[in-house]
Amino acid sequence: MKYRFLFFFLNIVAFSYGQFPKGFVYLRSVVPEVEVDLRYFTSNNFVGTSVDGYKNDCLIVTEQTARALHKVQQELKKRGLGLKVYDGYRPQQAVNHFVRWARVLHDTLRKPDFYPNVKKKDLFKEGYIASHSGHTKGSTIDLTLIDLATKKELDMGSAYDFFGVESWVAYKGLTKVQSKNRMVLQEVMLKYGFRNYAREWWHFTLRGEPFPKTYFDFPIE
C-alpha cells in the first residue's frame, strides 16, 4: 500500500511539472527559431484575460505537426520569411472558458478589436465560438508570417482572431500585398500537409492527424 501511494504521488508530481501524453512535444524543441505569441496566455485576445489551461508561455503540438512545421520554416527561410505562432494545442478547459465567456453578453471589453460588426449573442450561431475545437486534438495551429530581418508580421489584411468576413481566406477586399501574403502562407502550409479553414486565414490542421477523435484537456505548462 505504501509503495502504491508513492507511485501515485510521483505520477501527480510529474504531470504537474509539464508532462503530457506520448506523441506531443514543445514546438520549439523541434523548430527552435519559430516565433511564439501565445495569445491565450495573455490578455491580448477576444476574451480580454488569460484563458483557463494556459499556465505557461510555451506552445505544444503533436510530434507530426512539429516536424511538418519544421519543413515549412526551412522553406520560408529561403525567402527571408518565418513563422509566428499564436496557438497550437488548446485544452478543453480553454474551450469551455470561451463558451462561458460567450454567454455573458454584457462582457464586451474587446469587441472593438475582435468582433466590431458581430453581436456577441450571435457568436455561436455564426460559428465563431463552439463547444469543441480541432485545436484540442493537438494538430491544429494558428500562425502567420514574419520578415526574418525585422521580425515584423506581414500584413494579412485582418488581425488574428478577428471575427468577420475580412478574415476569410478568399476575402476580396484586400490589397495586392495583403493578397500575396495570404497566398504565400496558404501555399507553403498546404504543400507540407496542412489543410486550411476557409474562414480563418491563420488556421491550419495537419492532414492525417494522429488523434482525430480525442479532445485532450491537459494544461499548457
Side-chain angles (χ1 to χ4, degrees), residues 115-177:
Y115 52 107
N117 302 314
V118 181
K119 295 179 179 179
K120 192 174 182 183
K121 69 180 181 66
D122 294 331
L123 291 179
F124 285 107
K125 181 178 69 176
E126 298 195 20
Y128 296 114
I129 301 293
S131 59
H132 289 91
S133 169
H135 282 275
T136 312
K137 303 172 186 178
S139 297
T140 293
I141 198 93
D142 292 342
L143 43 68
T144 191
L145 298 177
I146 61 168
D147 183 311
L148 286 181
T150 64
K151 301 297 183 182
K152 291 184 178 180
E153 298 177 16
L154 271 58
D155 184 358
M156 293 291 181
S158 82
Y160 166 60
D161 257 358
F162 185 84
F163 300 160
V165 296
E166 294 87 344
S167 294
W168 295 12
V169 173
Y171 176 60
K172 299 301 183 181
L174 302 173
T175 67
K176 289 183 178 180
V177 170

Side-chain angles (χ1 to χ4, degrees), residues 2-210:
K2 176 176 67 177
Y3 296 107
R4 279 186 293 181
F5 176 78
L6 178 61
F7 177 76
F8 177 71
F9 174 75
L10 290 175
N11 277 342
I12 293 176
V13 172
F15 182 80
S16 70
Y17 276 89
Q19 298 299 313
F20 37 69
K22 184 178 180 180
F24 285 81
V25 296
Y26 293 112
L27 179 59
R28 277 183 168 155
S29 70
V30 179
V31 194
E33 66 273 30
V34 71
E35 293 288 319
V36 173
D37 180 10
L38 198 62
R39 291 290 185 88
Y40 301 139
F41 177 68
T42 74
S43 61
N44 185 20
N45 57 64
F46 60 86
V47 177
T49 187
S50 180
V51 176
D52 290 356
Y54 287 79
K55 298 184 176 182
N56 203 349
D57 189 16
C58 53
L59 200 139
I60 299 170
V61 293
T62 59
E63 292 180 27
Q64 291 94 324
T65 301
R67 290 198 295 267
L69 289 173
H70 176 71
K71 295 176 182 178
V72 172
Q73 181 82 350
Q74 292 305 111
E75 174 157 331
L76 289 172
K77 283 174 67 175
K78 300 173 185 177
R79 311 187 198 187
L81 302 174
L83 294 173
K84 184 173 188 177
V85 185
Y86 301 117
D87 197 32
Y89 161 70
R90 180 185 305 165
Q92 182 61 40
Q93 59 193 287
V95 178
N96 296 343
H97 189 166
F98 294 159
V99 171
R100 291 196 310 273
W101 166 84
R103 289 171 174 160
V104 182
L105 299 183
H106 66 270
D107 181 359
T108 55
L109 176 67
R110 300 306 304 273
K111 179 176 173 59
D113 302 308
F114 292 97
Y115 52 107
N117 302 314
V118 181
K119 295 179 179 179
K120 192 174 182 183
K121 69 180 181 66
D122 294 331
L123 291 179
F124 285 107
K125 181 178 69 176
E126 298 195 20
Y128 296 114
I129 301 293
S131 59
H132 289 91
S133 169
H135 282 275
T136 312
K137 303 172 186 178
S139 297
T140 293
I141 198 93
D142 292 342
L143 43 68
T144 191
L145 298 177
I146 61 168
D147 183 311
L148 286 181
T150 64
K151 301 297 183 182
K152 291 184 178 180
E153 298 177 16
L154 271 58
D155 184 358
M156 293 291 181
S158 82
Y160 166 60
D161 257 358
F162 185 84
F163 300 160
V165 296
E166 294 87 344
S167 294
W168 295 12
V169 173
Y171 176 60
K172 299 301 183 181
L174 302 173
T175 67
K176 289 183 178 180
V177 170
Q178 292 166 346
S179 181
K180 179 182 177 181
N181 291 342
R182 285 195 188 185
M183 187 62 64
V184 170
L185 178 62
Q186 294 293 319
E187 287 179 351
V188 71
M189 292 297 289
L190 270 60
K191 177 178 179 179
Y192 289 103
F194 292 89
R195 66 178 186 274
N196 69 3
Y197 175 48
R199 294 195 173 195
E200 296 178 352
W201 58 258
W202 56 80
H203 179 114
F204 298 88
T205 298
L206 185 69
R207 295 184 183 277
E209 59 183 306

